[in-house]
Amino acid sequence: MNTKQENRNTSAAMEPLAIGIDIGGTGTKYGIVDRVGNLLFSGEMSTRNHMEVIPYIDDLYENIAPLIEQAGGIGRIKGIGIGAPNGNYYKNTIEYAANLPWKGIIPFGKMAEDKFKLPVVLTNDANAAAIGEMMYGAAQGMNDFIMITLGTGVGSGIVANGKLVYGHDGFAGELGHTIIIPDGRLHEGTQKRGSLESYASATGVRLSTIEFLQNSDKPSLLRAIPHNEIDSKKVYEAAIEGDELAKEIFDFTGKILGMALANFVMFSSPEAIVLFGGLTKAGDFILKPTREHMEANLVQVFQNKVKILVSHLKESDAAILGASALVWEMK
């Protein structure tokens, strides 16, 4: 466990506060936030090390309880907002999340309410990040945008007419699982082939790297790295050193992402697409081919209208802020 506590702003003594929790496939980040978006206390813990959900919630409580006391006690906490893969806003459940160790339908919101003795609202993790971006980040003032999170997987949140698109069952916006390459790469979690997440996530970059190394004789710094140690950061580091194969891997990834973004633009005509997450750190290695292939695949009426922006919120803060913002909508 790596816990970091921050006390950035003491705020008024009786002002209500919200807890935001971002559950990722690898780690969980959490924080206590005031109404204007100051992250007062924060920390993180492993998700992957908890194969059962009840011990995970117990550990989460043990980590957050001291922060609640530091913030003035449970009486100051209005509620808990949670962003999670396949989080269902309507049912407060996590359902069939491919990147989490807990399978099936998990009544996570109810379980967290019972443990923390606080009201809980839960949504998809990328939806939470989109809310954070709309309130505090690059999408401030926008009524129509799409948030794409490029991390272990590919998440998304669609905002149209100023409202998140949830669909009739709470699961709208799973753009990472749309099929971009028919009969393409197998996604181990869903057992579907050719999804965007299979190519444009950090996991996808790793798989592309292994394929490129196997299918090419081109010299590369990446050949010195055991396959089980390859990750997108190492590919980026090789690209910075001028490695041509590493650059080709990012070109390939950007091509697929750009094709997908063109489809999404023609679906909802957003003002902007905001990219968030670890892969964006590759900068123009991935952004340039993404922009080029998005524009190349748009019909004329959509061309040169949609901005591709990189989130300027701290990666550790955006989803926490967005999840906590859900609390202020509670009745």
Side-chain angles (χ1 to χ4, degrees):
M1 181 187 70
N2 175 23
T3 300
K4 176 186 175 188
Q5 298 178 4
E6 300 176 1
N7 189 349
R8 301 178 181 173
N9 188 341
T10 54
S11 66
M14 297 309 294
E15 179 190 0
L17 304 173
I19 295 172
I21 299 173
D22 170 39
I23 302 174
T26 303
T28 296
K29 300 179 177 72
Y30 48 83
I32 298 179
V33 184
D34 68 16
R35 192 179 284 271
V36 296
N38 292 308
L39 183 56
L40 307 179
F41 303 92
S42 66
E44 58 185 301
M45 58 176 266
S46 171
T47 306
R48 188 175 285 167
N49 290 347
H50 296 79
M51 299 309 295
E52 301 293 334
V53 69
I54 291 176
Y56 169 83
I57 291 177
D58 289 343
D59 200 8
L60 187 63
Y61 177 81
E62 292 301 320
N63 279 280
I64 295 177
L67 304 189
I68 293 174
E69 289 307 307
Q70 289 183 54
I74 198 168
R76 288 196 67 192
I77 308 298
K78 178 176 172 62
I80 300 173
I82 299 174
N86 284 31
N88 189 317
Y89 177 75
Y90 295 141
K91 297 180 181 178
N92 252 9
T93 52
I94 298 173
E95 304 188 16
Y96 308 106
N99 295 323
L100 293 179
W102 326 306
K103 303 307 176 187
I105 299 175
I106 309 294
F108 195 93
K110 177 67 166 59
M111 297 170 78
E113 284 183 350
D114 291 344
K115 185 68 180 181
F116 283 84
K117 311 302 181 190
L118 286 167
V120 172
V121 60
L122 180 150
T123 191
N124 176 282
D125 50 347
N127 284 344
I131 293 170
E133 205 65 47
M134 185 164 55
M135 292 187 68
Y136 310 113
Q140 278 182 306
M142 291 185 192
N143 287 322
D144 297 271
F145 72 96
I146 298 174
M147 179 87 169
I148 305 286
T149 63
L150 302 172
T152 308
V154 174
S156 57
I158 303 168
V159 174
N161 301 321
K163 301 288 185 183
L164 269 167
V165 176
Y166 284 112
H168 81 282
D169 60 354
F171 286 118
E174 284 291 346
L175 300 178
H177 293 305
T178 56
I179 304 303
I180 304 301
I181 307 294
D183 299 317
R185 182 180 292 161
L186 179 68
H187 187 289
E188 292 293 342
T190 64
Q191 291 297 297
K192 307 299 181 186
R193 288 191 173 272
S195 68
L196 177 62
E197 182 167 289
S198 298
Y199 295 92
S201 62
T203 306
V205 170
R206 177 180 173 275
L207 294 173
S208 294
T209 302
I210 293 169
E211 289 177 7
F212 271 64
L213 290 170
Q214 290 173 339
N215 296 332
S216 168
D217 294 328
K218 185 173 288 189
S220 173
L221 297 170
L222 298 167
R223 296 192 184 279
I225 304 171
H227 284 184
N228 64 345
E229 295 179 15
I230 289 173
D231 59 24
S232 58
K233 183 172 183 287
K234 290 184 174 65
V235 180
Y236 170 67
E237 289 168 349
I240 285 286
E241 293 293 320
D243 191 290
E244 290 301 320
L245 193 71
K247 293 177 185 178
E248 287 178 19
I249 292 161
F250 281 123
D251 284 343
F252 173 72
T253 305
K255 177 181 178 179
I256 293 175
L257 180 57
M259 289 165 53
L261 295 188
N263 288 338
F264 305 158
V265 165
M266 292 185 285
F267 155 67
S268 69
S269 191
E271 179 179 347
I273 295 172
V274 182
L275 302 180
F276 174 84
L279 271 189
T280 64
K281 292 182 174 63
D284 278 345
F285 287 124
I286 193 166
L287 295 177
K288 188 171 183 288
T290 297
R291 288 190 180 99
E292 288 175 356
H293 287 282
M294 183 184 84
E295 292 294 342
N297 285 282
L298 288 171
V299 297
Q300 189 172 5
V301 72
F302 292 105
Q303 287 176 347
N304 302 311
K305 288 183 177 179
V306 180
K307 295 172 283 193
I308 295 180
L309 305 174
V310 175
S311 172
H312 55 254
L313 293 178
K314 279 183 62 177
E315 190 172 344
S316 59
D317 294 358
I320 295 173
L321 293 172
S324 69
L326 296 168
V327 171
W328 308 120
E329 302 299 319
M330 288 178 172
K331 296 180 179 178

